[in-house]
């Protein structure tokens, strides 16, 4: 994916390059005025803000830029995760595929990088790609290479394991026939990247590569191959839309009912197409059908391409799924960048984490996916603390005590009544949950809600990150609108943090009186799953007081209607093996 591109052309990177070059004292000074480098707040570099059970490379890798996931894969008893990594810190031109292995997707062991620039067609960078297992069991990696200096001219390459008997797949070789796909006349060579896992049907392999046509048309180029070696572009893309560049396309079949996943080469009446939109830096997907004769994908909801569903309404990008043959499930992995400053990142010596792997499946309505943290994460749970049948009255809050809550897993079921007290929904916000949440944050009193959790909160509530629901009346005969929101505006007293309110609507019928919330809290990240995984939000937050044992957890209710916590269980989470850190 083009995180690297963003780093190269994005404003932060520009500032950073200018700083490096010593070329812009103006820019340098304005940055200093904002955050006074040299006086990075002690809390930012505190080990208590480094995540405990989220995927990260080791601590001592100085100036790690961004970590994004590439193609996860299962081979001979091990899950393999490859991710974009800069071993040289401040030098961006040498992106490699770092490599970690796991037996359970929770405990990770770091190996040497799997793919590094060393052939003409990847000598200026090894960017994202995907892995596919061929019928004889051989894994193959397709990835984007940069083959010329000073311009991000993108081609697609292939690599195979050197020793197929090595379950750790430590060494990879790149056949001499690379690259296997290059930009053709009429294609934008700097917007041509991130090959997908391939699928097989009708005597041909097929894969997608993300692209951009003209100024605005994002598309997924379709390639075919008989032998996985010679790839020919189909005349038509699989799909396209006027959204800007499509990074990291992901395309896979889903079962119409049940929670099992399908191998990418299986067929189904329903498919998911996901793209990471470089313009907004979020991951969007549609549910649709794939016609294997015309080789076109058609979203079920015609407006879906532009008002699309997101895997996560927070900080979550460049995600990728894979089919886990062990538990017959499809698993989603996503990358979350930092929300502090580049100066902070340099002081910390690390930047970028992965979300907890999520199992995904189609909701029975067929309209969206459901997501849930993989069950393996529950092996990290310590002793539980539970609360049952507690009413939290209007304007009140309830502390959950008896555990360390800075690294915790919290599941709560709410009972909601008094729906007649709900505020009226303004249809002007029908497509803009985020804006609505920005206006009606956690401290803005409501009718039914805001109610939910204050996590990573200080005892005096100077700091708190709010994860909550707010219910709106929606005209006669329509079900109430439920907004799920993550409000980090009070999360820290540290200046110069990126603290956007993130939000999504929850397609649930709250007139049943019930809604659930699960939050995975891990020092500087909060991942929340509303209504059983219908709406998910990941936030990065960096408290300055509410760190370590000073972090508190509360249930709050800022609505007029009482809320009942029918059940809440919170677990302290243990630290898994995390790449030796
Ligand atoms: C290939 O890997 C297997 C299993 O790790 C090992 O026993 C064998 O020596 C390796 N072969 C070579 C040529 O390195
Ligand atoms: C390729 O896309 C980039 C980004 O939109 C644009 O700046 C550039 O002009 C395009 N190049 C061509 C040849 O269309
Ligand atoms: C399309 O899918 C159907 C159903 O799985 C299969 O029977 C058929 O062979 C496929 N056709 C092509 C051209 O892939
Ligand atoms: C993560 O960082 C924030 C703050 O710098 C940016 O606004 C986001 O665009 C960025 N997200 C991605 C996916 O790059």
């Amino acid at each position: 994916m083009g995180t690297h591109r963003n780093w190269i052309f994005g404003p932060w990177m520009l500032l950073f390059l200018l700083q490096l070059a010593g070329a812009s004292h103006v820019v340098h000074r304005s940055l200093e005025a904002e955050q006074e480098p040299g006086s990075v707040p002690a809390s930012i570099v505190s080990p208590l803000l480094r995540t405990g059970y989220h995927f990260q490379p080791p601590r001592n890798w100085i100036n790690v830029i961004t970590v994004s996931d590439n193609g996860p894969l299962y081979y001979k008893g091990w899950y393999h995760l490859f991710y974009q990594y800069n071993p040289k810190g401040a030098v961006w031109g040498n992106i490699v595929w770092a490599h970690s292995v796991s037996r359970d997707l929770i405990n990770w062991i770091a190996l040497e990088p799997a793919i590094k620039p060393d052939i003409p067609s990847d000598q200026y960078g090894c960017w994202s790609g995907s892995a596919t297992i061929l019928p004889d069991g051989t894994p193959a990696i397709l990835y984007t290479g940069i083959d010329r200096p000073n311009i991000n001219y993108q081609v697609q390459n292939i690599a195979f394991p050197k020793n197929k008997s090595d379950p750790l797949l430590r060494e990879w070789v790149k056949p001499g026939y690379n690259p296997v796909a290059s930009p053709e006349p009429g294609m934008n060579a700097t917007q041509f990247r991130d090959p997908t896992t391939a699928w097989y049907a009708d005597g041909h392999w097929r894969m997608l590569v993300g692209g951009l046509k003209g100024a605005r048309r994002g598309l997924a180029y379709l390639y075919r191959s008989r032998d996985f070696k010679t790839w020919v572009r189909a005349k038509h893309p699989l799909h396209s839309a006027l959204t800007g560049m499509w990074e990291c396309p992901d395309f896979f079949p889903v079962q119409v009912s049940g929670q099992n996943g399908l191998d990418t080469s299986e067929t189904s009446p329903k498919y998911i197409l996901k793209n990471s939109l470089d313009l907004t830096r979020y991951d969007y997907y549609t549910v649709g059908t794939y016609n294997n004769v015309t080789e076109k994908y058609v979203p079920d909801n015609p407006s879906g391409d532009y008002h699309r569903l997101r895997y996560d309404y927070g900080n979550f990008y460049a995600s990728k799924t894979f089919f886990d043959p062990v538990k017959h499930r499809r698993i989603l992995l996503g990358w979350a960048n930092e929300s502090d400053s580049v100066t902070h990142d340099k002081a910390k010596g690390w930047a970028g984490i992965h979300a907890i792997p999520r199992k995904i499946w189609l909701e029975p309505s067929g309209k969206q996916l459901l997501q849930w943290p993989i069950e393996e994460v529950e092996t990290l749970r310590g002793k539980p603390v539970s609360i049952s049948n507690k009413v939290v009255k209007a304007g009140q809050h309830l502390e959950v005590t008896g555990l360390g809550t800075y690294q915790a897993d919290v599941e709560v079921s709410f009972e909601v009544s008094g729906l007649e007290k709900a505020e009226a929904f303004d249809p002007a916000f029908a497509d803009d949950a985020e804006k609505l949440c920005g206006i009606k944050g956690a401290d803005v009193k409501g009718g039914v809600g805001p109610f939910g959790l204050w996590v990573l909160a200080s005892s005096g509530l100077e700091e708190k990150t709010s994860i909550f629901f707010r219910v709106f009346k929606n005209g006669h005969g329509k079900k109430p609108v439920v907004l799920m929101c993550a409000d980090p505006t009070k999360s820290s007293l540290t200046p110069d943090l990126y603290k956007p309110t993130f939000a999504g609507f929850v397609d649930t019928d709250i007139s049943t009186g019930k809604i659930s919330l699960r939050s995975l809290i891990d020092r500087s990240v909060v991942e929340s799953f509303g209504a059983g995984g219908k709406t998910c939000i990941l936030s990065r937050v960096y408290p300055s007081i509410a760190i370590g044992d000073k972090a508190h957890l509360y249930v709050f209710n800022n609505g007029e209607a009482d809320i009942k916590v029918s059940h809440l269980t919170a677990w302290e989470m243990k630290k898994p093996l995390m790449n030796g850190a």
Side-chain angles (χ1 to χ4, degrees), residues 453-565:
L453 299 174
W454 286 332
V455 307
L456 299 173
S458 57
S459 58
L461 295 175
E462 301 90 338
E463 293 185 337
K464 60 182 197 288
T465 295
S466 309
I467 318 293
F468 63 90
F469 299 111
R470 186 187 280 268
V471 181
F472 297 90
K473 273 185 207 142
N474 190 20
H476 188 67
K478 290 194 196 153
K479 65 183 188 194
V481 173
V482 179
L483 177 74
M484 175 172 163
C485 210
D487 179 354
T489 50
K490 304 266 170 65
S491 60
S492 180
L493 299 180
T494 299
D496 199 36
L497 298 172
Y498 173 63
K499 295 191 284 193
T501 42
F502 287 125
F505 292 111
V506 191
D507 187 9
T508 188
D509 186 2
I510 199 141
S511 54
T512 60
K514 290 189 166 68
I515 193 161
S516 71
L517 177 66
R518 178 171 181 191
S519 286
L520 296 171
I521 305 162
D522 190 6
R523 298 155 179 247
S524 61
V525 60
V526 184
E527 269 188 86
S528 300
F529 301 81
K534 285 192 171 173
T535 303
C536 309
I537 304 179
L538 187 152
S539 291
R540 300 299 312 276
V541 292
Y542 310 86
S544 66
I545 309 170
I547 61 179
D549 291 341
K550 304 220 167 54
H552 297 257
L553 171 67
Y554 302 86
V555 179
F556 79 97
N557 178 12
N558 272 335
E560 270 176 46
D562 294 351
I563 295 295
K564 186 152 110 185
V565 175

Side-chain angles (χ1 to χ4, degrees), residues 62 85 211 255 303 400 476 483 526 532:
I62 306 298
Y85 173 63
Q255 290 209 343
S303 67
V400 182
H476 188 67
L483 177 74
V526 184

